[in-house]
Amino acid sequence: MGRDFYLVPELNTMSQEEIRRYQERKLTRQLKYCYDNSELYRQEFDKAGASPEDIKTMDDLRRLPIFMTKDDERKSAEDSLQKYGHPFGLHLCAPVEDLYLTGTTSGTTGTPTFSYTFTENDINFTGRHLGHRLSLAGVGKGDRVAFFFALGIYATTMTLWGLRGLGALPIDIDARAGTDLLLKFIDLTRPTYLACTPSLAEFLIDKTPRVLDKEVKDFGLKGLLTTGEIGIAIPEIKKKLESAYGCRAYDYWAPAGNAIGISCDSEEYYGLHAVAPDLCTSYDDLVDPVTKEPVDSDVDGATGEMVHTNLQREACPAVKYAYGDTVQIFTRECPGCGFKGRRAKLIGRADDMLTVKGVNVYPAAIKDIVTTFVPDVTGEMRIVLESPPPRVVPPVRLKIEHGKDIGQADLPGLANRISAALHSTIKIRPEIEFVEPGMLPKETRKTPVFEKNYEQK
Ligand SMILES: [Zn+2]
């Protein structure tokens, strides 16, 4: 990573304290704008007995209650559809005729929300940040970026904006076209970077030799850009991808254009580096995922659900928006690259969290441990749920693919070793069922964490 971590040059010469003051200067102005222009935010401030002028520091912001969750956003969209005939919500702060770009997530759970709605100023500002972030992975003029997501025309559109801003050429193909076609396009367009989910990147390792008669290493990529799942945060997955592709794998994200972050060029994974502190306060504001009470997020290693508040957004700014991502925050300097700002490791979605005998357990933590048993396991697994989460009556049931060189006779011993590892680290004693390698479907979409037996009943 270069030394210019931030897009705005003056931020690169500031201390973390000065950056905090810079954020706070933008904060009050933005909150006042939201209060003046959105009936929803006006109501929320009034309900909290606060006015935007009162919110001068990060601590003031942290003391405000949560204004919005995913369900509230959906409700806000329904209300605005009824009242004003548009789905952008009562938290829309700009005139609807000024909207320039809109996009939604896949709508895998419930009605899609148009969280990616921007004015022209928004897309210029946010798009430049999204591009700058990828420049830290080396992407620049002349690069061709194979961009394969199942949501290609929706949420990820903004990143294409950023790529073009860098002078790179996106090769944007909907991952639902199927991997044969994706590989054919790689072969034809010779990209220098590949952006996709980590599970698709993994899937292509075995698939490529069957379709193209070459290995993924032969693509000669300069980097892999992965997002959408907890992937390279798991050491085994990072190692597997980097050695198969022969290049560095980076992890990047920006839920609804907030919390912009990217991992650095280090052997070890040191989390998403918060390279756009002038855009939002997501890395500075955490709450307990269950009680929604503030968590002291200035402590290195603090864990909680991220709360997003934009510092500069016109159309649909987030204000105290708890989006459902639970993270661990690191405030100390990155040992890999010297970045002094905040870093976050995604732990899971708040709605993926399980509670087992009152203890919070994240699927990612289970997978983290199971993958340390590669090659005795493939790394693919599901948590089998008999009733809706979060509460699980023990034992937690796991379905795990064993490795291809493991025989039936080896399975009981392997189950014991995995169980012991899970018990010593996260205090669960699972019931393990092994399945043959390749039995758990894994393809171009986000790989599911759970097998929900209760939905079939
Ligand atoms: Zn770093």
Side-chain angles (χ1 to χ4, degrees):
M1 243 189 214
R3 293 298 96 174
D4 286 346
F5 292 111
Y6 303 116
L7 175 67
V8 177
E10 56 184 306
L11 290 174
N12 289 310
T13 59
M14 286 185 191
S15 69
Q16 289 308 305
E17 234 356 85
E18 288 165 333
I19 290 177
R20 174 66 56 89
R21 300 287 94 81
Y22 182 96
Q23 291 178 301
E24 290 170 344
R25 279 197 296 278
K26 292 184 84 167
L27 177 66
T28 317
R29 195 168 55 213
Q30 172 73 20
L31 293 180
K32 186 163 180 342
Y33 166 80
C34 295
Y35 186 92
D36 291 343
N37 291 287
S38 141
E39 56 185 271
L40 183 137
Y41 285 138
R42 200 155 46 241
Q43 272 170 24
E44 289 298 323
F45 269 106
D46 293 348
K47 225 165 41 186
S51 91
E53 287 83 1
D54 299 336
I55 313 303
K56 295 192 174 67
T57 67
M58 197 64 73
D59 281 331
D60 295 337
L61 178 69
R62 290 169 179 161
R63 277 193 291 269
L64 281 179
I66 301 301
F67 282 4
M68 209 192 292
T69 62
K70 196 83 199 161
D71 285 341
D72 298 332
E73 190 189 3
R74 209 163 278 137
K75 172 84 171 52
S76 173
E78 281 162 15
D79 290 349
S80 76
L81 197 56
Q82 276 208 338
K83 223 168 154 179
Y84 301 112
H86 70 71
F88 308 111
L90 297 179
H91 56 293
L92 179 69
C93 295
V96 72
E97 57 273 19
D98 286 354
L99 298 182
Y100 187 80
L101 179 147
T102 190
T104 174
T105 51
S106 60
T108 41
T109 47
T111 315
T113 50
F114 294 84
S115 314
Y116 297 79
T117 295
F118 297 89
T119 63
E120 193 171 357
N121 284 336
D122 287 343
I123 190 63
N124 287 334
F125 182 70
T126 308
R128 278 174 67 221
H129 275 84
L130 294 167
H132 171 75
R133 161 193 64 169
L134 296 178
S135 77
L136 297 169
V139 182
K141 185 149 181 62
D143 277 314
R144 268 171 270 170
V145 184
F147 197 81
F148 297 162
F149 291 96
L151 314 168
I153 56 167
Y154 305 110
T156 49
T157 306
M158 290 193 321
T159 296
L160 299 181
W161 212 272
L163 284 169
R164 293 190 179 101
L166 295 175
L169 176 67
I171 315 287
D172 174 28
I173 300 156
D174 192 317
R176 287 168 292 193
T179 43
D180 284 25
L181 194 66
L182 298 182
L183 287 168
K184 197 165 171 194
F185 271 95
I186 289 185
D187 210 32
L188 283 170
T189 60
R190 312 288 160 93
T192 49
Y193 285 85
L194 167 61
C196 62
T197 60
S199 38
L200 177 56
E202 236 185 301
F203 184 76
L204 293 180
I205 297 173
D206 295 333
K207 181 83 180 185
T208 301
R210 298 205 296 268
V211 177
L212 294 181
D213 196 28
K214 56 167 85 164
E215 304 287 334
V216 289
K217 204 171 233 150
D218 302 328
F219 298 159
L221 295 177
K222 294 183 347 197
L224 255 185
L225 308 168
T226 66
T227 188
E229 296 164 342
I230 297 178
I232 68 159
I234 298 174
E236 288 301 327
I237 294 184
K238 187 170 190 285
K239 221 186 297 165
K240 182 177 175 187
L241 290 178
E242 291 184 343
S243 73
Y245 283 85
C247 64
R248 185 65 77 209
Y250 299 88
D251 183 21
Y252 72 97
W253 82 325
N258 305 310
I260 291 180
I262 186 158
S263 64
C264 66
D265 179 20
S266 298
E267 200 61 38
E268 234 180 280
Y269 181 81
Y270 290 115
L272 294 151
H273 297 41
V275 293
D278 48 329
L279 189 134
C280 63
T281 60
S282 316
Y283 292 76
D284 304 271
D285 194 2
L286 301 184
V287 293
D288 182 287
V290 180
T291 65
K292 309 289 174 193
E293 288 296 317
V295 165
D296 187 352
S297 36
D298 287 333
V299 175
D300 190 60
T303 296
E305 183 180 348
M306 240 181 197
V307 183
H308 306 284
T309 301
N310 282 117
L311 294 174
Q312 186 173 336
R313 176 85 55 95
E314 292 178 346
C316 289
V319 179
K320 295 296 286 189
Y321 187 169
Y323 205 71
D325 292 308
T326 303
V327 298
Q328 185 174 24
I329 292 283
F330 302 97
T331 57
R332 64 177 189 277
E333 184 175 320
C334 174
C337 71
F339 179 70
K340 290 189 173 59
R342 282 158 188 255
R343 292 171 289 119
K345 221 170 151 173
L346 197 56
I347 294 177
R349 298 273 312 158
D351 43 16
D352 277 353
M353 192 185 72
L354 304 175
T355 58
V356 185
K357 289 193 273 187
V359 178
N360 296 347
V361 176
Y362 286 94
I366 298 178
K367 189 164 178 174
D368 220 338
I369 293 158
V370 171
T371 50
T372 61
F373 288 87
V374 172
D376 291 351
V377 301
T378 67
E380 272 311 300
M381 55 158 281
R382 299 285 188 280
I383 300 167
V384 183
L385 299 179
E386 299 298 338
S387 59
R391 203 172 75 86
V392 176
V393 180
V396 177
R397 289 181 53 204
L398 304 180
K399 209 175 248 188
I400 298 176
E401 281 184 5
H402 63 74
K404 62 179 187 321
D405 297 327
I406 291 288
Q408 286 299 319
D410 305 322
L411 293 178
L414 179 59
N416 284 341
R417 285 186 288 132
I418 294 174
S419 181
L422 285 166
H423 187 252
S424 73
T425 43
I426 53 175
K427 303 287 168 241
I428 62 162
R429 276 199 196 283
E431 185 184 295
I432 296 174
E433 177 193 341
F434 286 107
V435 296
E436 298 281 320
M439 283 297 285
L440 298 173
K442 171 190 183 107
E443 256 241 39
T444 48
R445 284 165 176 274
K446 289 187 185 185
T447 305
V449 184
F450 300 126
E451 190 173 301
K452 296 174 176 172
N453 278 353
Y454 58 90
E455 282 185 347
Q456 284 131 39
K457 279 173 191 167

